Amino acid sequence: MLDQPTPLPQIALRAPDVVMRLRRMGASFPTRLSFLRVLLRRLSAENAQVARPVWAMDGDGFGHAVYSVTFGGHVYSLVAVSTDLPPELRTDRVIASAWDTAYVLYDGVPCADEIARIVATAPLQEAARFTARDLVLSRANKSVRLFAHTVERLRAGQQPDADLVRSTGYLMRTTAVYGNGKFGIADRDVFATRDGMGGPFMAEMLTVWLIRGFTHDLVEHVGGAPLDAHLKRHLGIGNSTGLGMAPFLVSHPMLLNAWITARETALARVRAIETLEDAQIEVIYDLVKRAAQHLSEWQVPDHIGQQRIDQMRREWPQLAALMTPDAMTGRMPLDHLWLASAKFSIDTQECLAALLIEPFGNLVDDLCASMATEQHATLDPSMTCADLQALIDRDWAWAMCDYDQPEACHQFWYVSEAKAEPRLGLRHKEDGAALESPLDIARQVAGLVPHLQNGGSVAQLLARHPEHRAAVRRVQSLDGAPYAEIRDNLIGRACLPIDMLRCKLGFFGAAKFDPKSDRWTRITLCQGAPLRDELGNADNWWLPTFDA
C-alpha cells in the first residue's frame, strides 16, 4: 500500500456563515491562486516562448496578426483582427455589433485558409459561426484617449504621460471573452484534460494575456517606436463586467465551493505556521509596503467605493504597526496577526488574507489543482424528509425569513429579450416577475420547509409537490460543500450584485476595481504581469504598483 502524504498543518477554516456573505465576497482581492497567476507560473515553468509568425497590419494599425505559444505540449495561437471602427459604433455593451479588435484563440497553428476564415468571421462575433478548433472568442475596444495619446507621443519621439498611463492602466478593454462552446467554438471538454489547461478559465486567461501583448505591439506599430518597458508592464487589459457574470456563481455552486475551499485552506495553512524565518518576514514587510502603495494609487469616481478605499488607507498603517519584530518572531505570528485584524474593516481583512497567502507558494500552490470540479447536482429520492430537514437546519438557517415581506422579495432576476443579458427588476414597481430567473435560492429552500412536516421520503414529497424538486436537489447536492452557496437573499433589497462580480473577478486575478454602479464595474487584468520576454520572473506582481 502506498504511503499517503502527510497533511499540512492548518488552522480551522473560516465558517461559511462568515465567508459566504455578499459584503465579504465583495471585498475579494486577487491572490496567488487566481487563475492568471496560475497560468503565468505554468508558462514560466515551461519556459514558454511566444512567436508572432504573422503581422499583416497597415500603417494605421488595421489588419491581422497571429501569435503562437507552446503550452503543455500543445500549440495555441491567438488570431487578432484590427478594424477601423467609426466612433458612432463604439460601445462596451455586450450587444454591440462592431468592435475595434476581435480575437480567436486557435487550437494549433492556423494555415492561410484558417487565418482567412477567422479574419472574416471574428469581427462578426455572435453573428458568425465557428469551429471546434476555435477555443476562445473575444473582442476589445480601444481606450481612445490613451491609445491616441500614446501614438502621438511615440511619433514625436516621446513616451506617453506617466500619470495618464497610471490612471487608465490599459490600451484596450475587452467586452467579452467567450469559452466553453459558445457560438460553435470548442467545448471545454476538448482541452480540459491537457497539461496546464485543466484549471478554471485557463484558455480564457491565456487569451487575455496574449491580447494584452498584441495591444502593446499595435500601439508601437502605429506609433513607430517602442514603449518604455516599465510603462508597458503597467498597461494591462481593461474589462467592463456587468450583471451577465453574476448568475454564474449561483449556477455553478460546486465550482464556487472548490474556489473558496482552496483559498480558505491556503489561509488556514499559512495561519498554522509556527515560526517565520527572517527572509519570510522581510517579504511580508515588502508586501505590506506594496499594498499601501497600491491603495494610494487606487482612485475611483464612485463615492461608496472610494470611501472603502480611503478607510483601508487609514487602517493599513494601523495593521502594519501590529507587525513588530517581537510579534513577527514569536510563535504563530500570522495567526495572531489574523485574529488581531478582526477590529478592522472587512476590506482590510480580506486584503490581509491575500497578502498572507502570497509568500508561501510552497505551502499553497498545490491547491490550484483542486479548483476545477466535475461534480454535478444529484437528487436522492430515498432520503427521508426528516434527514432533509436536518440538512436545512444545519446549513440553511440564513435563508429562513418571511418572503411575503416587500423587503425580502424586492427584486427579481430575468433575461432581457432586447439585450440578451441578465437584468434585475423591481418586483413591486416593474412588470416581468412572471419571467423570473431561478436565482431566488433562499426563497425556494424556505418554501420547501413547510412541506417536510408530513414526513415520508423525498420521493413521496416530490410526488405531492414537484415544484420543490430544484430546492431539494440543491440542498442534497450541497451537503458537504460548505462554500457552495452565497448565504444571502439574492432577491432582497440589500443584495448588491457587484459583490458577486468582484468575487469572481478576484479569482480571475483582477485588480483596480472601478464600480460604476452596484451592477457593473470596470477592472484591469494583467496589470504588472510579465511581458512575453519576462516569463522568467512570472510570480511577483500581486497588487501591482506603478513605481515597481
Side-chain angles (χ1 to χ4, degrees):
M1 184 174 180
L2 294 175
D3 292 336
Q4 296 297 316
T6 303
L8 290 168
Q10 63 183 53
I11 299 292
L13 273 61
R14 290 192 289 176
D17 271 335
V18 172
V19 174
M20 300 309 294
R21 298 291 183 175
L22 279 173
R23 176 62 181 85
R24 191 170 292 273
M25 294 173 71
S28 297
F29 283 85
T31 73
R32 67 177 299 110
L33 304 182
S34 294
F35 310 141
L36 265 169
R37 297 284 301 282
V38 175
L39 169 76
L40 288 175
R41 281 201 299 272
R42 180 57 187 263
L43 290 173
S44 176
E46 294 193 9
N47 192 27
Q49 304 294 316
V50 180
R52 196 183 73 185
V54 177
W55 184 260
M57 293 286 171
D58 67 19
D60 294 319
F62 304 128
H64 66 274
V66 178
Y67 296 80
S68 296
V69 59
T70 300
F71 176 43
H74 294 261
V75 180
Y76 304 97
S77 298
L78 180 78
V79 182
V81 185
S82 174
T83 54
D84 187 3
L85 180 67
E88 64 272 16
L89 294 182
R90 180 173 288 108
T91 172
D92 283 344
R93 298 294 301 278
V94 74
I95 59 169
S97 59
W99 303 268
D100 284 310
T101 57
Y103 309 89
V104 164
L105 184 69
Y106 185 82
D107 191 1
V109 179
C111 65
D113 287 345
E114 284 287 78
I115 293 173
R117 173 183 65 82
I118 293 171
V119 168
T121 56
L124 302 177
Q125 296 280 295
E126 293 96 325
R129 293 295 177 266
F130 297 90
T131 78
R133 298 294 298 273
D134 305 324
L135 305 182
V136 176
L137 180 66
S138 185
R139 65 281 188 110
N141 283 334
K142 294 171 183 172
S143 173
V144 177
R145 180 186 177 200
L146 182 56
F147 196 95
H149 165 80
T150 303
V151 168
E152 180 182 3
R153 285 294 187 91
L154 291 179
R155 286 177 173 173
Q158 301 173 324
Q159 290 295 314
D161 179 75
D163 288 338
L164 188 56
V165 170
R166 178 172 53 231
S167 62
T168 304
Y170 51 82
L171 292 165
M172 291 191 191
R173 55 179 175 263
T174 60
T175 65
V177 183
Y178 293 126
N180 200 19
K182 295 274 281 188
F183 315 118
I185 63 178
D187 289 332
R188 173 177 159 79
D189 290 347
V190 170
F191 55 85
T193 58
R194 298 179 185 175
D195 257 5
M197 293 293 265
F201 295 96
M202 286 296 102
E204 290 87 344
M205 297 299 101
L206 178 60
T207 302
V208 169
W209 183 68
L210 290 172
I211 289 174
R212 181 244 201 162
F214 166 73
T215 69
H216 298 162
D217 287 356
L218 187 66
V219 80
E220 289 178 334
H221 172 76
V222 180
L227 273 168
D228 173 80
H230 172 69
L231 297 179
K232 189 187 296 190
R233 204 173 296 119
H234 196 73
L235 289 168
I237 282 290
N239 177 264
S240 296
T241 297
L243 287 176
M245 183 177 279
F248 182 93
L249 297 183
V250 183
S251 58
H252 295 80
M254 299 307 294
L255 196 58
L256 177 62
N257 180 71
W259 298 357
I260 302 292
T261 299
R263 187 193 67 196
E264 292 303 304
T265 302
L267 178 61
R269 287 180 181 179
V270 169
R271 288 174 58 193
I273 295 174
E274 285 275 350
T275 58
L276 293 171
E277 300 172 2
D278 290 345
Q280 293 172 325
I281 295 172
E282 288 303 314
V283 170
I284 291 171
Y285 285 164
D286 287 344
L287 291 173
V288 170
K289 295 174 186 176
R290 184 191 303 181
Q293 181 65 25
H294 181 88
L295 292 174
S296 74
E297 295 175 6
W298 186 9
Q299 298 284 146
V300 298
D302 179 74
H303 177 66
I304 296 175
Q306 190 60 49
Q307 279 187 325
R308 288 170 56 178
I309 296 169
D310 289 342
Q311 183 173 7
M312 290 185 68
R313 290 173 179 168
R314 292 192 298 271
E315 291 177 344
W316 202 251
Q318 301 172 44
L319 177 68
L322 300 176
M323 302 182 199
T324 62
D326 286 346
M328 298 300 283
T329 55
R331 182 179 175 275
M332 304 286 284
L334 301 185
D335 186 47
H336 290 312
L337 177 61
W338 176 256
L339 294 174
S341 73
K343 65 183 179 181
F344 299 119
S345 66
I346 288 175
D347 299 278
T348 296
Q349 293 172 35
E350 294 307 305
C351 189
L352 175 63
L355 185 151
L356 293 182
I357 294 169
E358 184 62 27
F360 300 102
N362 61 317
L363 291 181
V364 307
D365 285 354
D366 66 299
L367 295 166
C368 299
S370 65
M371 296 180 77
T373 177
E374 300 302 323
Q375 293 176 293
H376 300 287
T378 57
L379 189 145
D380 178 7
S382 67
M383 178 181 279
T384 67
C385 288
D387 286 344
L388 186 61
Q389 179 69 64
L391 291 180
I392 293 173
D393 291 343
R394 187 191 69 191
D395 296 334
W396 296 82
W398 59 271
M400 300 303 130
C401 72
D402 182 1
Y403 289 93
D404 289 331
Q405 295 296 315
E407 293 288 309
C409 61
H410 176 72
Q411 50 198 3
F412 63 94
W413 294 80
Y414 68 99
V415 176
S416 166
E417 182 178 11
K419 298 175 181 177
E421 295 178 286
R423 285 286 180 266
L424 271 176
L426 301 181
R427 191 179 305 275
H428 307 295
K429 294 183 179 180
E430 300 174 14
D431 295 331
L435 301 174
E436 183 170 4
S437 299
L439 271 68
D440 58 331
I441 306 298
R443 183 174 64 171
Q444 292 179 37
V445 174
L448 164 66
V449 169
H451 301 290
L452 299 177
Q453 310 310 313
N454 295 328
S457 69
V458 162
Q460 293 168 322
L461 166 71
L462 294 181
R464 296 188 300 267
H465 298 285
E467 68 274 15
H468 294 302
R469 183 180 182 88
V472 171
R473 184 171 57 239
R474 188 90 176 188
V475 173
Q476 290 181 332
S477 297
L478 303 191
D479 178 24
Y483 301 112
E485 197 70 67
I486 299 170
R487 298 196 174 198
D488 270 306
N489 174 18
L490 303 185
I491 60 171
R493 180 188 287 272
C495 171
L496 301 179
I498 197 168
D499 292 332
M500 300 159 73
L501 304 183
R502 179 157 168 182
C503 176
K504 186 180 179 186
L505 291 165
F507 277 104
F508 282 2
K512 297 286 180 70
F513 296 91
D514 182 8
K516 299 304 180 184
S517 75
D518 62 12
R519 301 186 181 191
W520 74 283
T521 184
R522 284 183 176 162
I523 57 163
T524 306
L525 291 163
C526 297
Q527 188 173 65
L531 305 174
R532 294 196 298 267
D533 58 354
E534 296 178 333
L535 285 173
N537 182 24
D539 209 29
N540 188 26
W541 53 285
W542 178 73
L543 292 194
T545 64
F546 188 75
D547 293 333

